[in-house]
Amino acid sequence: MDYIRNPQLIETESFTIIQEIIDQEFPNYVFSCPNEEKIVKRVIHTSADFDYLKNLVFTNDVILRLEEFFAAGQGTIFTDTTMALSGINKGILDQLGIQYECYIADPEVAEQAKRKGMTRSMAGIERAAKIAGPKLFVIGNAPTAIFKLLEMVGKGDLDAAAVIGVPVGFVGAAESKEALFEGDVPAIVARGRKGGSNVAAAIINAMLYQLVERES
Amino acid sequence: MDYIRNPQLIETESFTIIQEIIDQEFPNYVFSCPNEEKIVKRVIHTSADFDYLKNLVFTNDVILRLEEFFAAGQGTIFTDTTMALSGINKGILDQLGIQYECYIADPEVAEQAKRKGMTRSMAGIERAAKIAGPKLFVIGNAPTAIFKLLEMVGKGDLDAAAVIGVPVGFVGAAESKEALFEGDVPAIVARGRKGGSNVAAAIINAMLYQLVERES
């Protein structure tokens, strides 16, 4: 069997094919700006799903807020799942001086969740709110995390630099994302049911690859 | 904002909605067996993508081979990405006595890949072949891992109990999966471009949740 074995070639060729498919199947589609184009294409690269051309939306100057967040080099990314954190390029985050946390398996957060009758994802948001410095929330799984986050922001108990709000699912996911989409927090939102930890990680990686020289 | 906060309720409700959507939008769809039904539905649960109703195929008595693999309690799962491994319920694997490995970040594997001019995923398959006991391969990202695996099986250099072959992508992914689909190795295959680490993890979790009492 003959097949391409060079990861960089595979990736370059993949993005060429993605553009060809857009040209053929969505000829009237126009990206708003190169940053958004890179994010949407990387999400398609990670899902092979062109629904994200229309599902993925950007609110409240989120790209600028993300650029500021990463440039400041002193913030923390909070993910709702270990899977999302696992997919993010942590070598680049280390280079940029950005911290990263996922509290889903934290025993203290689990204890708080049990005591308060909330999901661990919600307790994770409460825990994150206590951490100093700029905060970027990356939510690929838990609608309850987004609802909780919006509640706390609304009450002035939490300041979020931006939110990647892309939980996948059938119960609460779309509703949580519409609430985020309509709110004042800068956000990248996958409207509807689709999304996931892989999509969340791809969005962050697409931003990171624009900021630093890509690792081979 | 009012929303469901009980994770078990959310999951039960999600699967009810998935069945309702199948009834409405795919009224003639019939699952081959309850095991396959649980796997396909969990993949839809993790992706919100009903394409998997037709994309996901099962070859060479793969369900029986997976049941044997998990029952034997002495095998190893090899994933091609840390993200896939991250998404798998390792508490249940520990209960069952199943080992799990991902070599993608292993320095020795990286060195071998460089020396031999192959991807780290391919070198990871070579490394896995040296491990004793039954082997289950879970590939959500790297077509080259599947090509390499099929080459080694063809030469008698590797024995795979089963393969979850669901790499996503535009270069080699569909081709690698067709080769797996047409081969003799028991496999669950996502035909076409779609798949991913999340899909790979969901398939394993769907099997695990059928074997043991679900952890809350």
Side-chain angles (χ1 to χ4, degrees), chain A residues 1 3-5 13-14 17-18 21 44 46-49 82-83 86-87 119 122 144 147 151 168 170-171 193-194 197-198, chain B residues 1 3-5 13-14 17-18 21 44 46-50 82-83 86 119 122 144 147 151 168 170-171 193-194 197-198:
Chain A
M1 285 173 280
Y3 50 94
I4 309 183
R5 294 152 198 241
E13 176 70 8
S14 296
I17 294 171
I18 289 169
I21 292 170
I44 292 172
T46 211
S47 65
D49 191 338
T82 55
M83 205 175 175
S86 171
T119 64
M122 293 166 73
T144 58
F147 285 125
E151 278 174 11
V168 59
F170 296 85
V171 175
R193 292 187 193 119
K194 287 182 176 178
S197 298
N198 54 335
Chain B
M1 283 171 280
Y3 50 95
I4 308 184
R5 295 152 197 240
E13 176 70 7
S14 296
I17 294 171
I18 290 169
I21 293 171
I44 293 172
T46 211
S47 64
D49 191 337
F50 289 83
T82 54
M83 204 173 175
S86 171
T119 64
M122 292 166 74
T144 58
F147 285 126
E151 278 174 12
V168 59
F170 296 86
V171 176
R193 292 186 194 119
K194 288 183 176 177
S197 298
N198 54 335

CSV table of all heavy atoms in Angstrom, one decimal, chain A residues 1 3-5 13-14 17-18 21 44 46-49 82-83 86-87 119 122 144 147 151 168 170-171 193-194 197-198, chain B residues 1 3-5 13-14 17-18 21 44 46-50 82-83 86 119 122 144 147 151 168 170-171 193-194 197-198:
chain,number,residue,atom,x,y,z
A,1,MET,N,0.8,-1.2,0.0
A,1,MET,CA,0.0,0.0,0.0
A,1,MET,C,0.9,1.3,0.0
A,1,MET,O,1.8,1.3,0.8
A,1,MET,CB,-0.9,0.0,1.2
A,1,MET,CG,-2.0,-1.0,1.1
A,1,MET,SD,-3.0,-1.1,2.7
A,1,MET,CE,-1.9,-2.3,3.6
A,3,TYR,N,1.0,5.3,0.6
A,3,TYR,CA,0.3,6.4,1.2
A,3,TYR,C,1.2,7.5,1.8
A,3,TYR,O,2.4,7.2,2.1
A,3,TYR,CB,-0.6,5.8,2.4
A,3,TYR,CG,0.1,4.9,3.3
A,3,TYR,CD1,0.7,5.4,4.5
A,3,TYR,CD2,0.3,3.6,3.0
A,3,TYR,CE1,1.4,4.6,5.4
A,3,TYR,CE2,1.0,2.7,3.9
A,3,TYR,CZ,1.5,3.2,5.1
A,3,TYR,OH,2.2,2.4,5.9
A,4,ILE,N,0.7,8.7,1.9
A,4,ILE,CA,1.5,9.8,2.4
A,4,ILE,C,1.8,9.6,3.9
A,4,ILE,O,1.0,9.2,4.7
A,4,ILE,CB,0.8,11.1,2.2
A,4,ILE,CG1,0.3,11.3,0.8
A,4,ILE,CG2,1.7,12.3,2.6
A,4,ILE,CD1,-0.4,12.7,0.6
A,5,ARG,N,3.1,9.7,4.2
A,5,ARG,CA,3.5,9.5,5.6
A,5,ARG,C,4.1,10.7,6.3
A,5,ARG,O,4.5,10.6,7.4
A,5,ARG,CB,4.7,8.4,5.6
A,5,ARG,CG,4.2,7.0,5.1
A,5,ARG,CD,5.4,6.3,4.5
A,5,ARG,NE,4.9,5.2,3.7
A,5,ARG,CZ,5.1,3.9,3.9
A,5,ARG,NH1,5.9,3.6,4.9
A,5,ARG,NH2,4.7,3.0,3.1
A,13,GLU,N,-2.2,19.3,2.6
A,13,GLU,CA,-3.1,18.7,1.5
A,13,GLU,C,-4.5,18.7,2.0
A,13,GLU,O,-5.5,19.0,1.3
A,13,GLU,CB,-2.6,17.3,1.2
A,13,GLU,CG,-3.5,16.5,0.2
A,13,GLU,CD,-3.4,17.0,-1.2
A,13,GLU,OE1,-2.6,17.9,-1.5
A,13,GLU,OE2,-4.2,16.5,-2.0
A,14,SER,N,-4.7,18.4,3.3
A,14,SER,CA,-6.1,18.4,3.9
A,14,SER,C,-6.7,19.7,3.8
A,14,SER,O,-7.9,19.8,3.4
A,14,SER,CB,-6.0,18.0,5.4
A,14,SER,OG,-5.5,16.7,5.5
A,17,ILE,N,-7.8,20.4,0.3
A,17,ILE,CA,-9.0,19.7,-0.1
A,17,ILE,C,-10.3,20.3,0.6
A,17,ILE,O,-11.3,20.5,-0.1
A,17,ILE,CB,-8.9,18.2,0.4
A,17,ILE,CG1,-7.8,17.5,-0.5
A,17,ILE,CG2,-10.3,17.5,0.2
A,17,ILE,CD1,-7.5,16.1,0.0
A,18,ILE,N,-10.1,20.8,1.8
A,18,ILE,CA,-11.2,21.4,2.5
A,18,ILE,C,-11.7,22.7,1.7
A,18,ILE,O,-12.9,22.9,1.4
A,18,ILE,CB,-10.8,21.8,3.9
A,18,ILE,CG1,-10.7,20.6,4.8
A,18,ILE,CG2,-11.8,22.8,4.5
A,18,ILE,CD1,-10.1,20.8,6.2
A,21,ILE,N,-13.5,21.6,-1.5
A,21,ILE,CA,-14.9,21.2,-1.2
A,21,ILE,C,-15.8,22.4,-0.9
A,21,ILE,O,-16.9,22.5,-1.4
A,21,ILE,CB,-14.9,20.2,0.0
A,21,ILE,CG1,-14.3,18.9,-0.4
A,21,ILE,CG2,-16.4,20.0,0.5
A,21,ILE,CD1,-14.0,17.9,0.8
A,44,ILE,N,-13.3,21.9,10.8
A,44,ILE,CA,-13.8,21.0,9.8
A,44,ILE,C,-12.7,19.9,9.6
A,44,ILE,O,-13.0,18.7,9.4
A,44,ILE,CB,-14.0,21.7,8.4
A,44,ILE,CG1,-15.2,22.7,8.6
A,44,ILE,CG2,-14.1,20.8,7.3
A,44,ILE,CD1,-15.4,23.6,7.4
A,46,THR,N,-10.9,18.7,11.9
A,46,THR,CA,-11.0,17.7,13.0
A,46,THR,C,-12.3,16.9,13.1
A,46,THR,O,-12.4,16.0,13.8
A,46,THR,CB,-10.8,18.5,14.4
A,46,THR,OG1,-10.1,17.7,15.3
A,46,THR,CG2,-12.1,19.0,15.0
A,47,SER,N,-13.2,17.3,12.3
A,47,SER,CA,-14.6,16.7,12.3
A,47,SER,C,-15.0,16.2,10.9
A,47,SER,O,-16.0,15.4,10.9
A,47,SER,CB,-15.6,17.7,12.8
A,47,SER,OG,-15.7,18.8,11.9
A,48,ALA,N,-14.4,16.7,9.9
A,48,ALA,CA,-14.9,16.4,8.5
A,48,ALA,C,-16.3,16.7,8.3
A,48,ALA,O,-17.0,16.1,7.5
A,48,ALA,CB,-14.6,14.9,8.1
A,49,ASP,N,-16.8,17.7,9.1
A,49,ASP,CA,-18.2,18.1,9.0
A,49,ASP,C,-18.3,19.6,8.6
A,49,ASP,O,-18.0,20.5,9.4
A,49,ASP,CB,-18.7,17.9,10.4
A,49,ASP,CG,-20.3,18.0,10.5
A,49,ASP,OD1,-20.8,18.7,9.5
A,49,ASP,OD2,-20.9,17.5,11.4
A,82,THR,N,-11.1,16.5,30.5
A,82,THR,CA,-9.7,16.2,30.3
A,82,THR,C,-9.5,15.9,28.8
A,82,THR,O,-8.4,16.2,28.3
A,82,THR,CB,-9.3,14.9,31.1
A,82,THR,OG1,-10.2,13.9,30.7
A,82,THR,CG2,-9.4,15.1,32.5
A,83,MET,N,-10.5,15.5,28.1
A,83,MET,CA,-10.3,15.2,26.6
A,83,MET,C,-10.0,16.5,25.9
A,83,MET,O,-9.2,16.5,25.0
A,83,MET,CB,-11.6,14.6,26.1
A,83,MET,CG,-11.3,13.7,24.9
A,83,MET,SD,-12.9,12.9,24.4
A,83,MET,CE,-12.3,12.1,22.9
A,86,SER,N,-6.6,17.5,26.7
A,86,SER,CA,-5.7,16.6,26.1
A,86,SER,C,-5.4,17.0,24.6
A,86,SER,O,-4.3,16.8,24.1
A,86,SER,CB,-6.2,15.2,26.2
A,86,SER,OG,-5.5,14.3,25.4
A,87,GLY,N,-6.4,17.5,24.0
A,87,GLY,CA,-6.3,17.8,22.5
A,87,GLY,C,-5.6,19.2,22.2
A,87,GLY,O,-5.2,19.4,21.1
A,119,THR,N,-23.7,19.8,39.0
A,119,THR,CA,-22.8,18.9,38.3
A,119,THR,C,-21.3,19.3,38.7
A,119,THR,O,-21.1,20.4,39.1
A,119,THR,CB,-22.9,19.1,36.7
A,119,THR,OG1,-22.5,20.4,36.4
A,119,THR,CG2,-24.3,18.8,36.3
A,122,MET,N,-20.3,22.4,36.9
A,122,MET,CA,-20.7,23.6,37.5
A,122,MET,C,-19.8,24.0,38.7
A,122,MET,O,-19.3,25.2,38.8
A,122,MET,CB,-22.1,23.5,38.0
A,122,MET,CG,-23.1,23.4,36.9
A,122,MET,SD,-24.8,22.9,37.5
A,122,MET,CE,-25.3,24.4,38.3
A,144,THR,N,-24.2,22.6,31.4
A,144,THR,CA,-24.4,23.1,32.8
A,144,THR,C,-23.2,24.1,33.1
A,144,THR,O,-23.4,25.1,33.8
A,144,THR,CB,-24.5,22.0,33.8
A,144,THR,OG1,-23.3,21.2,33.8
A,144,THR,CG2,-25.7,21.2,33.6
A,147,PHE,N,-24.3,27.4,31.5
A,147,PHE,CA,-25.3,28.1,32.2
A,147,PHE,C,-24.7,28.7,33.5
A,147,PHE,O,-25.0,29.8,33.9
A,147,PHE,CB,-26.4,27.1,32.6
A,147,PHE,CG,-27.3,26.7,31.4
A,147,PHE,CD1,-27.5,25.4,31.0
A,147,PHE,CD2,-28.0,27.8,30.7
A,147,PHE,CE1,-28.4,25.1,29.9
A,147,PHE,CE2,-28.8,27.5,29.6
A,147,PHE,CZ,-29.0,26.1,29.2
A,151,GLU,N,-24.6,32.6,34.6
A,151,GLU,CA,-25.1,33.1,35.9
A,151,GLU,C,-24.1,33.9,36.7
A,151,GLU,O,-24.5,35.0,37.2
A,151,GLU,CB,-25.6,31.9,36.7
A,151,GLU,CG,-26.9,31.3,36.4
A,151,GLU,CD,-27.2,30.0,37.2
A,151,GLU,OE1,-26.4,29.7,38.2
A,151,GLU,OE2,-28.1,29.3,36.8
A,168,VAL,N,-21.6,19.5,22.9
A,168,VAL,CA,-22.4,18.7,22.0
A,168,VAL,C,-23.5,18.1,22.8
A,168,VAL,O,-23.3,17.8,24.0
A,168,VAL,CB,-21.5,17.6,21.4
A,168,VAL,CG1,-20.9,16.7,22.4
A,168,VAL,CG2,-22.3,16.7,20.3
A,170,PHE,N,-27.9,16.7,23.2
A,170,PHE,CA,-29.4,16.7,23.0
A,170,PHE,C,-30.2,17.4,24.1
A,170,PHE,O,-31.4,17.7,23.9
A,170,PHE,CB,-29.8,15.3,22.7
A,170,PHE,CG,-29.2,14.7,21.5
A,170,PHE,CD1,-28.0,14.1,21.5
A,170,PHE,CD2,-29.9,14.8,20.2
A,170,PHE,CE1,-27.4,13.6,20.4
A,170,PHE,CE2,-29.3,14.3,19.1
A,170,PHE,CZ,-28.0,13.7,19.2
A,171,VAL,N,-29.6,17.6,25.3
A,171,VAL,CA,-30.3,18.1,26.4
A,171,VAL,C,-29.6,19.3,26.9
A,171,VAL,O,-28.5,19.2,27.6
A,171,VAL,CB,-30.5,17.1,27.5
A,171,VAL,CG1,-31.2,17.7,28.7
A,171,VAL,CG2,-31.3,15.9,27.0
A,193,ARG,N,-26.9,21.4,17.9
A,193,ARG,CA,-26.5,20.3,18.8
A,193,ARG,C,-25.0,20.0,18.7
A,193,ARG,O,-24.5,19.4,19.6
A,193,ARG,CB,-27.3,19.1,18.4
A,193,ARG,CG,-28.7,19.1,18.6
A,193,ARG,CD,-29.3,17.7,18.3
A,193,ARG,NE,-30.7,17.7,18.2
A,193,ARG,CZ,-31.4,17.4,17.1
A,193,ARG,NH1,-30.8,17.0,16.0
A,193,ARG,NH2,-32.7,17.5,17.0
A,194,LYS,N,-24.4,20.3,17.6
A,194,LYS,CA,-23.1,19.8,17.4
A,194,LYS,C,-22.0,20.5,18.1
A,194,LYS,O,-22.2,21.7,18.5
A,194,LYS,CB,-22.8,19.8,15.9
A,194,LYS,CG,-23.5,18.7,15.1
A,194,LYS,CD,-23.2,18.7,13.6
A,194,LYS,CE,-23.9,17.5,12.9
A,194,LYS,NZ,-23.5,17.5,11.5
A,197,SER,N,-15.5,18.0,22.6
A,197,SER,CA,-14.2,18.3,23.1
A,197,SER,C,-13.2,18.4,22.0
A,197,SER,O,-12.2,19.3,22.1
A,197,SER,CB,-13.7,17.1,24.0
A,197,SER,OG,-14.6,17.0,25.1
A,198,ASN,N,-13.3,17.6,20.9
A,198,ASN,CA,-12.4,17.7,19.8
A,198,ASN,C,-12.5,19.1,19.1
A,198,ASN,O,-11.5,19.7,18.7
A,198,ASN,CB,-12.6,16.6,18.8
A,198,ASN,CG,-14.1,16.4,18.4
A,198,ASN,OD1,-15.0,16.9,19.1
A,198,ASN,ND2,-14.3,15.9,17.2
B,1,MET,N,-32.1,31.0,35.0
B,1,MET,CA,-32.2,30.0,34.0
B,1,MET,C,-32.5,28.6,34.7
B,1,MET,O,-31.8,28.3,35.7
B,1,MET,CB,-30.9,29.9,33.2
B,1,MET,CG,-30.7,31.0,32.2
B,1,MET,SD,-29.1,31.1,31.5
B,1,MET,CE,-28.2,32.0,32.8
B,3,TYR,N,-32.5,24.5,34.2
B,3,TYR,CA,-31.9,23.5,33.4
B,3,TYR,C,-31.6,22.2,34.2
B,3,TYR,O,-31.4,22.3,35.4
B,3,TYR,CB,-30.6,24.0,32.7
B,3,TYR,CG,-29.6,24.6,33.6
B,3,TYR,CD1,-28.6,23.9,34.1
B,3,TYR,CD2,-29.7,26.0,34.0
B,3,TYR,CE1,-27.6,24.5,35.0
B,3,TYR,CE2,-28.8,26.5,34.8
B,3,TYR,CZ,-27.8,25.8,35.3
B,3,TYR,OH,-26.9,26.4,36.2
B,4,ILE,N,-31.6,21.1,33.5
B,4,ILE,CA,-31.4,19.8,34.2
B,4,ILE,C,-29.9,19.8,34.6
B,4,ILE,O,-29.0,20.1,33.9
B,4,ILE,CB,-31.6,18.6,33.2
B,4,ILE,CG1,-33.0,18.7,32.6
B,4,ILE,CG2,-31.5,17.3,34.0
B,4,ILE,CD1,-33.4,17.5,31.7
B,5,ARG,N,-29.7,19.4,35.9
B,5,ARG,CA,-28.3,19.3,36.4
B,5,ARG,C,-27.9,17.9,36.8
B,5,ARG,O,-26.8,17.8,37.3
B,5,ARG,CB,-28.3,20.2,37.7
B,5,ARG,CG,-28.6,21.7,37.4
B,5,ARG,CD,-29.2,22.4,38.6
B,5,ARG,NE,-29.8,23.6,38.3
B,5,ARG,CZ,-29.4,24.8,38.8
B,5,ARG,NH1,-28.4,24.9,39.7
B,5,ARG,NH2,-30.0,25.9,38.4
B,13,GLU,N,-32.2,11.1,29.1
B,13,GLU,CA,-33.1,11.9,28.2
B,13,GLU,C,-32.4,12.0,26.8
B,13,GLU,O,-33.1,12.0,25.8
B,13,GLU,CB,-33.2,13.3,28.9
B,13,GLU,CG,-34.0,14.3,28.1
B,13,GLU,CD,-35.5,14.0,27.9
B,13,GLU,OE1,-36.0,13.1,28.6
B,13,GLU,OE2,-36.1,14.7,27.1
B,14,SER,N,-31.1,12.2,26.8
B,14,SER,CA,-30.4,12.3,25.5
B,14,SER,C,-30.7,11.1,24.6
B,14,SER,O,-31.0,11.2,23.4
B,14,SER,CB,-28.9,12.4,25.7
B,14,SER,OG,-28.6,13.6,26.4
B,17,ILE,N,-34.1,11.1,23.2
B,17,ILE,CA,-34.3,12.0,22.0
B,17,ILE,C,-33.6,11.5,20.8
B,17,ILE,O,-34.2,11.6,19.7
B,17,ILE,CB,-33.6,13.4,22.4
B,17,ILE,CG1,-34.4,14.1,23.6
B,17,ILE,CG2,-33.6,14.3,21.2
B,17,ILE,CD1,-33.8,15.3,24.2
B,18,ILE,N,-32.5,10.8,21.0
B,18,ILE,CA,-31.8,10.2,19.8
B,18,ILE,C,-32.7,9.2,19.1
B,18,ILE,O,-32.9,9.2,17.9
B,18,ILE,CB,-30.5,9.6,20.2
B,18,ILE,CG1,-29.4,10.6,20.6
B,18,ILE,CG2,-29.9,8.6,19.1
B,18,ILE,CD1,-28.2,10.1,21.3
B,21,ILE,N,-35.5,11.0,17.2
B,21,ILE,CA,-35.0,11.6,15.9
B,21,ILE,C,-34.9,10.4,14.9
B,21,ILE,O,-35.2,10.6,13.7
B,21,ILE,CB,-33.7,12.3,16.2
B,21,ILE,CG1,-34.0,13.6,17.0
B,21,ILE,CG2,-33.1,12.7,14.8
B,21,ILE,CD1,-32.7,14.3,17.5
B,44,ILE,N,-23.5,8.8,18.2
B,44,ILE,CA,-24.3,9.9,17.9
B,44,ILE,C,-24.4,10.8,19.1
B,44,ILE,O,-24.4,12.0,19.0
B,44,ILE,CB,-25.7,9.4,17.5
B,44,ILE,CG1,-25.6,8.7,16.1
B,44,ILE,CG2,-26.7,10.6,17.4
B,44,ILE,CD1,-26.9,8.0,15.7
B,46,THR,N,-22.2,11.4,21.2
B,46,THR,CA,-20.9,12.2,21.4
B,46,THR,C,-20.6,13.1,20.2
B,46,THR,O,-19.7,14.0,20.3
B,46,THR,CB,-19.7,11.2,21.5
B,46,THR,OG1,-18.7,11.7,22.4
B,46,THR,CG2,-19.1,10.8,20.2
B,47,SER,N,-21.4,13.0,19.1
B,47,SER,CA,-21.1,13.8,17.9
B,47,SER,C,-22.3,14.6,17.5
B,47,SER,O,-22.2,15.5,16.7
B,47,SER,CB,-20.7,12.9,16.8
B,47,SER,OG,-21.7,12.0,16.4
B,48,ALA,N,-23.5,14.2,17.9
B,48,ALA,CA,-24.8,14.8,17.4
B,48,ALA,C,-24.9,14.7,15.9
B,48,ALA,O,-25.5,15.5,15.2
B,48,ALA,CB,-25.0,16.2,17.9
B,49,ASP,N,-24.3,13.6,15.4
B,49,ASP,CA,-24.2,13.4,13.9
B,49,ASP,C,-24.8,12.1,13.5
B,49,ASP,O,-24.2,11.0,13.8
B,49,ASP,CB,-22.7,13.5,13.5
B,49,ASP,CG,-22.6,13.6,12.0
B,49,ASP,OD1,-23.5,13.2,11.3
B,49,ASP,OD2,-21.6,14.1,11.5
B,50,PHE,N,-26.0,12.2,12.9
B,50,PHE,CA,-26.7,11.0,12.5
B,50,PHE,C,-26.2,10.3,11.3
B,50,PHE,O,-26.6,9.2,10.9
B,50,PHE,CB,-28.2,11.3,12.4
B,50,PHE,CG,-28.9,11.5,13.7
B,50,PHE,CD1,-28.8,12.8,14.3
B,50,PHE,CD2,-29.5,10.5,14.4
B,50,PHE,CE1,-29.4,13.0,15.6
B,50,PHE,CE2,-30.1,10.7,15.7
B,50,PHE,CZ,-30.0,12.0,16.3
B,82,THR,N,-3.5,10.7,22.6
B,82,THR,CA,-3.8,10.8,24.0
B,82,THR,C,-5.3,11.2,24.2
B,82,THR,O,-5.9,10.9,25.3
B,82,THR,CB,-2.9,11.9,24.7
B,82,THR,OG1,-3.0,13.1,23.9
B,82,THR,CG2,-1.4,11.4,24.6
B,83,MET,N,-5.8,11.9,23.2
B,83,MET,CA,-7.2,12.4,23.4
B,83,MET,C,-8.2,11.2,23.4
B,83,MET,O,-9.1,11.2,24.2
B,83,MET,CB,-7.5,13.3,22.2
B,83,MET,CG,-8.6,14.3,22.4
B,83,MET,SD,-8.8,15.4,21.1
B,83,MET,CE,-10.2,16.3,21.6
B,86,SER,N,-7.8,9.6,26.7
B,86,SER,CA,-8.3,10.5,27.7
B,86,SER,C,-9.9,10.3,27.8
B,86,SER,O,-10.4,10.4,28.9
B,86,SER,CB,-8.0,12.0,27.3
B,86,SER,OG,-8.7,12.8,28.2
B,119,THR,N,5.6,7.9,10.3
B,119,THR,CA,4.9,8.7,11.3
B,119,THR,C,5.1,8.1,12.7
B,119,THR,O,5.4,6.9,12.8
B,119,THR,CB,3.4,8.8,11.0
B,119,THR,OG1,2.8,7.5,11.2
B,119,THR,CG2,3.1,9.4,9.7
B,122,MET,N,2.8,5.2,13.1
B,122,MET,CA,3.3,4.0,12.6
B,122,MET,C,4.3,3.3,13.5
B,122,MET,O,4.2,2.1,13.8
B,122,MET,CB,3.9,4.2,11.2
B,122,MET,CG,2.9,4.6,10.1
B,122,MET,SD,3.7,5.3,8.7
B,122,MET,CE,4.4,3.8,7.9
B,144,THR,N,-2.2,6.5,8.8
B,144,THR,CA,-1.0,5.7,8.7
B,144,THR,C,-0.9,4.6,9.7
B,144,THR,O,-0.3,3.6,9.4
B,144,THR,CB,0.2,6.7,8.8
B,144,THR,OG1,0.2,7.3,10.1
B,144,THR,CG2,0.3,7.7,7.8
B,147,PHE,N,-2.9,1.7,8.1
B,147,PHE,CA,-2.1,1.1,7.0
B,147,PHE,C,-1.0,0.2,7.5
B,147,PHE,O,-0.8,-0.9,7.1
B,147,PHE,CB,-1.6,2.2,6.0
B,147,PHE,CG,-2.6,2.8,5.1
B,147,PHE,CD1,-2.7,4.2,5.1
B,147,PHE,CD2,-3.4,2.0,4.3
B,147,PHE,CE1,-3.7,4.8,4.2
B,147,PHE,CE2,-4.3,2.6,3.4
B,147,PHE,CZ,-4.4,4.0,3.4
B,151,GLU,N,-0.5,-3.8,7.2
B,151,GLU,CA,0.7,-4.4,6.6
B,151,GLU,C,1.3,-5.4,7.5
B,151,GLU,O,1.7,-6.5,7.1
B,151,GLU,CB,1.8,-3.3,6.5
B,151,GLU,CG,1.6,-2.4,5.2
B,151,GLU,CD,2.6,-1.2,5.2
B,151,GLU,OE1,3.6,-1.2,6.0
B,151,GLU,OE2,2.5,-0.3,4.3
B,168,VAL,N,-10.5,10.4,11.3
B,168,VAL,CA,-11.2,11.5,10.6
B,168,VAL,C,-10.2,12.1,9.6
B,168,VAL,O,-9.0,12.2,9.9
B,168,VAL,CB,-11.7,12.5,11.6
B,168,VAL,CG1,-10.6,13.2,12.4
B,168,VAL,CG2,-12.5,13.6,10.9
B,170,PHE,N,-9.1,14.0,5.5
B,170,PHE,CA,-9.3,14.2,4.1
B,170,PHE,C,-8.2,13.6,3.3
B,170,PHE,O,-8.3,13.5,2.0
B,170,PHE,CB,-9.3,15.7,3.8
B,170,PHE,CG,-10.5,16.4,4.4
B,170,PHE,CD1,-10.4,16.8,5.8
B,170,PHE,CD2,-11.6,16.6,3.7
B,170,PHE,CE1,-11.5,17.4,6.3
B,170,PHE,CE2,-12.7,17.2,4.3
B,170,PHE,CZ,-12.7,17.6,5.6
B,171,VAL,N,-7.1,13.1,3.9
B,171,VAL,CA,-6.0,12.5,3.2
B,171,VAL,C,-5.7,11.1,3.8
B,171,VAL,O,-5.2,11.0,4.8
B,171,VAL,CB,-4.7,13.4,3.2
B,171,VAL,CG1,-3.5,12.7,2.6
B,171,VAL,CG2,-5.0,14.7,2.6
B,193,ARG,N,-15.1,10.1,5.4
B,193,ARG,CA,-14.1,11.0,6.1
B,193,ARG,C,-14.3,11.1,7.6
B,193,ARG,O,-13.4,11.5,8.3
B,193,ARG,CB,-14.3,12.4,5.5
B,193,ARG,CG,-14.0,12.5,4.0
B,193,ARG,CD,-14.1,14.0,3.7
B,193,ARG,NE,-14.0,14.2,2.3
B,193,ARG,CZ,-15.0,14.8,1.5
B,193,ARG,NH1,-16.1,15.2,2.2
B,193,ARG,NH2,-14.9,14.9,0.3
B,194,LYS,N,-15.5,10.9,8.0
B,194,LYS,CA,-15.8,11.3,9.4
B,194,LYS,C,-15.3,10.2,10.4
B,194,LYS,O,-15.0,9.1,10.1
B,194,LYS,CB,-17.3,11.4,9.6
B,194,LYS,CG,-17.8,12.7,9.0
B,194,LYS,CD,-19.3,12.9,9.3
B,194,LYS,CE,-19.8,14.3,8.7
B,194,LYS,NZ,-21.2,14.4,8.9
B,197,SER,N,-11.1,11.1,17.5
B,197,SER,CA,-10.7,10.5,18.8
B,197,SER,C,-12.0,10.4,19.7
B,197,SER,O,-12.1,9.5,20.5
B,197,SER,CB,-9.7,11.4,19.5
B,197,SER,OG,-8.5,11.5,18.7
B,198,ASN,N,-12.9,11.4,19.6
B,198,ASN,CA,-14.1,11.3,20.4
B,198,ASN,C,-15.0,10.1,20.0
B,198,ASN,O,-15.5,9.4,20.9
B,198,ASN,CB,-14.9,12.6,20.3
B,198,ASN,CG,-15.2,13.0,18.9
B,198,ASN,OD1,-14.5,12.6,17.9
B,198,ASN,ND2,-16.2,13.8,18.7
